[in-house]
Amino acid sequence: MQASIQLNEGDLVVLPHGHAHTIYDQSEQLSLSTEVLLSQAQALGERRIMLGEGEVQTRTICGIFYVDPSIHIPVWQACPAFIHVRREDTVRFPWFTAALTCLTEEANSSVFGAPLMATKAAEMVFLLALRVYLSTASSNAHGWLCAARDPQIGKAIALMHNQFAEPWTVATLGAQVGMSRSSFAAKFQKLTGQSPMRYLTERRLQVAARLIRERQDSVYEIAYQVGYLSFVGFYNAFKQHYHVPPGKYRHQMNSNRQSNTECLDTLRN
């Protein structure tokens, strides 16, 4: 479904899922694709793209986040198609204006460290955009972000993220947040769209996948570290979630890492 929003000076738009979009004014001019604009700029060795002529001038700053599709990030996947932060929405968040100012200045700077500073400022801008979205989202809205904002379900989610290896049950999680087993399970399902145990399983498998990619511990040790007492249970759950056994997953990740390193070395030379 297409949506149209009006942007004013100082507004920010975040497209978490990379939806196609067009930026246009009220003129009858045809739009150009980003690929064409970037290829023209790169051919000239330019960092800036200038379009059109006339008395009205608009300056925009654009950036891109790259997210590994193999990594499940609930906060990212729960975001809407776009987050529109109006200039007046940032009044309650003093850091927002400072972050946008830093991003603008560093993006236009050629001094040492400017690209890194701009990258860090962009990350802060994104997190602040999430804050604004959460503070303005309807109290009746569902989804992971709203679930995390709920005092009881949010606390349970934090427990599962920070203490994922604990032998949690629906009853013990409910007790931790002051709810009965049945009411906790029902509310968790309503807000997140899945059961508490399913959420916990996915969290453990996500951590296991990261440990397999980053460490040399055996998959047996990793299974225990993320809360599995049975390696067979871990093996079957991992294979069902990632479609490959944990050992093969590690081999694939190492091969991909080596290929990426070789590609970078080729570009450097």
Side-chain angles (χ1 to χ4, degrees):
M1 181 179 69
Q2 294 184 347
S4 178
I5 59 175
Q6 179 177 332
L7 299 178
N8 298 304
E9 182 179 358
D11 283 9
L12 169 71
V13 175
V14 181
L15 303 169
H17 309 295
H19 285 80
H21 60 282
T22 302
I23 302 175
Y24 62 92
D25 57 17
Q26 298 301 319
S27 70
E28 299 297 327
Q29 296 181 6
L30 297 176
S31 60
L32 296 176
S33 69
T34 303
E35 289 79 5
V36 172
L37 297 177
L38 290 177
S39 63
Q40 293 176 352
Q42 291 172 353
L44 297 175
E46 296 287 342
R47 295 177 58 193
R48 302 179 184 178
I49 300 174
M50 306 293 292
L51 288 176
E53 299 177 354
E55 298 180 358
V56 179
Q57 294 186 357
T58 301
R59 184 176 65 173
T60 63
I61 295 180
C62 301
I64 300 174
F65 285 97
Y66 291 97
V67 181
D68 188 338
S70 66
I71 302 176
H72 176 71
I73 307 176
V75 67
W76 192 279
Q77 296 177 342
C79 286
F82 66 88
I83 300 174
H84 179 200
V85 181
R86 297 174 177 82
R87 187 173 186 176
E88 55 267 26
D89 293 334
T90 66
V91 175
R92 291 169 295 159
F93 303 93
W95 274 102
F96 212 125
T97 301
L100 285 172
T101 300
C102 177
L103 175 59
T104 302
E105 293 180 353
E106 295 297 335
N108 292 319
S109 175
S110 59
V111 300
F112 174 77
L116 179 60
M117 288 290 290
T119 298
K120 296 303 180 182
E123 293 173 356
M124 181 177 291
V125 166
F126 174 72
L127 291 176
L128 289 170
L130 285 182
R131 277 189 179 180
V132 173
Y133 169 70
L134 282 173
S135 68
T136 58
S138 169
S139 59
N140 295 322
H142 296 170
W144 190 91
L145 290 175
C146 292
R149 187 178 61 176
D150 182 87
Q152 295 167 311
I153 302 305
K155 181 179 179 180
I157 288 175
L159 287 171
M160 286 188 275
H161 274 253
N162 298 324
Q163 302 176 36
F164 49 83
E166 293 293 318
W168 295 115
T169 64
V170 177
T172 57
L173 283 169
Q176 285 289 324
V177 299
M179 299 179 69
S180 68
R181 181 187 184 283
S182 58
S183 59
F184 169 70
K187 188 175 185 180
F188 195 98
Q189 179 78 38
K190 178 182 178 181
L191 291 181
T192 67
Q194 58 185 159
S195 69
M197 290 299 96
R198 178 61 184 172
Y199 187 93
L200 178 61
T201 295
E202 291 186 355
R203 172 60 181 165
R204 287 172 171 171
L205 293 176
Q206 292 155 16
V207 175
R210 176 175 59 80
L211 295 178
I212 289 174
R213 292 193 304 269
E214 298 177 358
R215 297 185 183 179
Q216 297 303 315
D217 297 351
S218 71
V219 292
Y220 294 91
E221 293 173 320
I222 291 175
Y224 177 77
Q225 291 169 17
V226 299
Y228 278 87
L229 299 181
S230 166
F231 177 73
V232 174
F234 169 73
Y235 180 95
N236 291 335
F238 192 97
K239 184 177 180 180
Q240 181 179 7
H241 189 75
Y242 288 100
H243 307 295
V244 292
K248 187 174 182 179
Y249 178 85
R250 168 174 278 169
H251 176 73
Q252 289 178 347
M253 292 299 104
N254 289 338
S255 298
N256 291 341
R257 187 180 299 112
Q258 182 177 356
S259 298
N260 292 337
T261 300
E262 291 174 354
C263 289
L264 289 174
D265 291 339
T266 300
L267 292 173
R268 292 191 185 102
N269 296 330

